[in-house]
Amino acid sequence: MVKAPSSLKTHITRLEMTAPPKASLPMPINIQTAIMRTPDIPLPFYRYLYRQVGARWQWVDRLRMTDENLAKTLHDKRNNISVLYVNGAPAGFYEYFVEDEDTIELSHFGLIEHALGLGIGKWFLLQALYAIWTVNPKRVTTTTNNLDHPRALQLYQMFGFSPVSTGLGIVRPLSDKELLALGKEG
């Protein structure tokens, strides 16, 4: 009998920013980068990115969605996904959702493990924020928790986000059965 993974308690921080970032960072040197918007992202590619970026941080929600629900979410005209490529290979992505004319949520942001430590995380987040602010929202929101990268909260605050609330949550890691099913798909 396979034992189900233990649920993880998490401390959630909700943040918002009400003005575009003032920071400016140069493009990383000696690294070829490209950021491409992906309006009709194929589900297997999205799941690959989501898993590669989020596995270390216990991102599981989108992996549990059916194809129909995931397609409905990703291909909603209010949802925007852009993929970072480094030296020709996918290296991360950001995703934002236009909630209404005033509010945009940065719903996902991260790098694939091979891109960590290259000095592009801050630059990539800044590019995501620049893209979001071109839509002219009144505020941009995001959420992080203590299972995310240890410097995530600090990085968001560095670029102008302020915490607006905190709370507790539960994350149920993927079971062996779910991981096996993902392996068969991809």
Side-chain angles (χ1 to χ4, degrees):
M1 183 172 185
V2 178
K3 183 180 174 188
S6 299
S7 293
L8 302 170
K9 292 181 182 175
T10 181
H11 183 264
I12 300 165
T13 303
R14 289 172 190 80
L15 302 111
E16 74 174 33
M17 63 188 306
T18 56
K22 293 183 172 87
S24 177
L25 292 172
M27 181 177 278
I29 57 170
N30 299 324
I31 300 173
Q32 294 180 0
T33 60
I35 300 171
M36 298 183 69
R37 190 166 176 277
T38 315
D40 293 314
I41 192 165
L43 300 185
F45 184 50
Y46 180 84
R47 284 190 175 110
Y48 165 79
L49 290 170
Y50 187 91
R51 180 79 180 126
Q52 292 300 310
V53 169
R56 297 176 71 188
W57 320 117
Q58 300 297 327
W59 291 10
V60 297
D61 296 344
R62 298 275 174 95
L63 298 174
R64 289 189 168 120
M65 295 174 84
T66 64
D67 284 354
E68 183 180 344
N69 287 339
L70 184 59
K72 184 179 178 184
T73 299
L74 298 181
H75 300 147
D76 183 315
K77 290 181 183 185
R78 298 169 295 171
N79 201 62
N80 295 272
I81 300 166
S82 292
V83 179
L84 170 68
Y85 294 85
V86 171
N87 297 329
F93 78 103
Y94 67 82
E95 181 175 352
Y96 68 86
F97 183 78
V98 180
E99 293 180 15
D100 55 46
E101 64 185 40
D102 293 336
T103 305
I104 295 178
E105 177 193 17
L106 175 61
S107 52
H108 294 94
F109 170 83
L111 297 173
I112 295 175
E113 193 165 349
H114 72 83
L116 296 174
L118 297 178
I120 60 174
K122 291 176 187 174
W123 173 83
F124 184 45
L125 178 58
L126 199 53
Q127 300 315 301
L129 294 173
Y130 288 157
I132 290 169
W133 281 98
T134 63
V135 183
N136 294 316
K138 290 192 173 136
R139 69 185 188 128
V140 176
T141 65
T142 197
T143 303
T144 190
N145 65 60
N146 62 308
L147 300 178
D148 279 339
H149 190 286
R151 291 190 302 266
L153 181 59
Q154 175 187 0
L155 183 60
Y156 288 131
Q157 290 177 300
M158 177 189 306
F159 287 124
F161 281 96
S162 298
V164 292
S165 68
T166 61
L168 299 176
I170 302 279
V171 173
R172 188 174 48 87
L174 296 173
S175 67
D176 289 342
K177 183 178 178 182
E178 289 171 310
L179 287 168
L180 184 58
L182 286 171
K184 287 181 181 177
E185 286 177 8

